[in-house]
């Protein structure tokens, strides 16, 4: 995830959103945790950390599509999604 965020940052993306499972107490989700660390490292806006869906289990393709569409309909949408 760090490499993906670094690559997007190199391309000029500053509004990057994560679509996937978030961490829960006692149940870290490694990709999300990696996204948070990378976002902090590259100074990405906090709004896009929280804008991601909190799925109760692995998201289906339809869940991810709905979430991505909602993010892209924001007044200032992310320029990249992970």
């Amino acid at each position: 995830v760090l490499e993906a965020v670094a690559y997007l940052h190199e391309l000029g993306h500053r509004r990057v959103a994560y679509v996937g499972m978030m961490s829960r107490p006692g149940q870290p989700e490694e990709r999300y945790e990696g996204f948070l660390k990378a976002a902090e490292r590259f100074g990405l806006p906090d709004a896009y950390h929280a804008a991601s869906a909190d799925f109760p289990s692995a998201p289906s393709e339809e869940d991810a599509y709905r979430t991505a569409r909602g993010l892209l309909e924001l007044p200032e949408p992310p320029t990249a999604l992970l």
Side-chain angles (χ1 to χ4, degrees):
V1 173
L2 176 62
E3 290 178 12
V5 174
Y7 179 70
L8 293 170
H9 189 264
E10 278 181 36
L11 293 175
H13 294 281
R14 298 299 179 265
R15 294 190 310 270
V16 179
Y18 172 84
V19 177
M21 291 176 61
M22 294 181 173
S23 299
R24 291 176 178 72
Q27 297 179 333
E29 208 300 312
E30 292 179 17
R31 283 173 285 201
Y32 180 65
E33 295 295 323
F35 174 77
L36 291 178
K37 289 177 185 173
E40 183 177 330
R41 179 175 176 177
F42 294 104
L44 302 177
D46 289 336
Y48 291 98
H49 305 186
S52 309
D54 188 10
F55 300 108
S57 60
S60 68
E61 187 175 321
E62 189 173 321
D63 291 333
Y65 174 80
R66 273 195 309 267
T67 299
R69 186 171 180 167
L71 288 165
L72 295 173
E73 290 175 351
L74 292 171
E76 289 189 49
T79 58
L81 301 173
L82 281 177

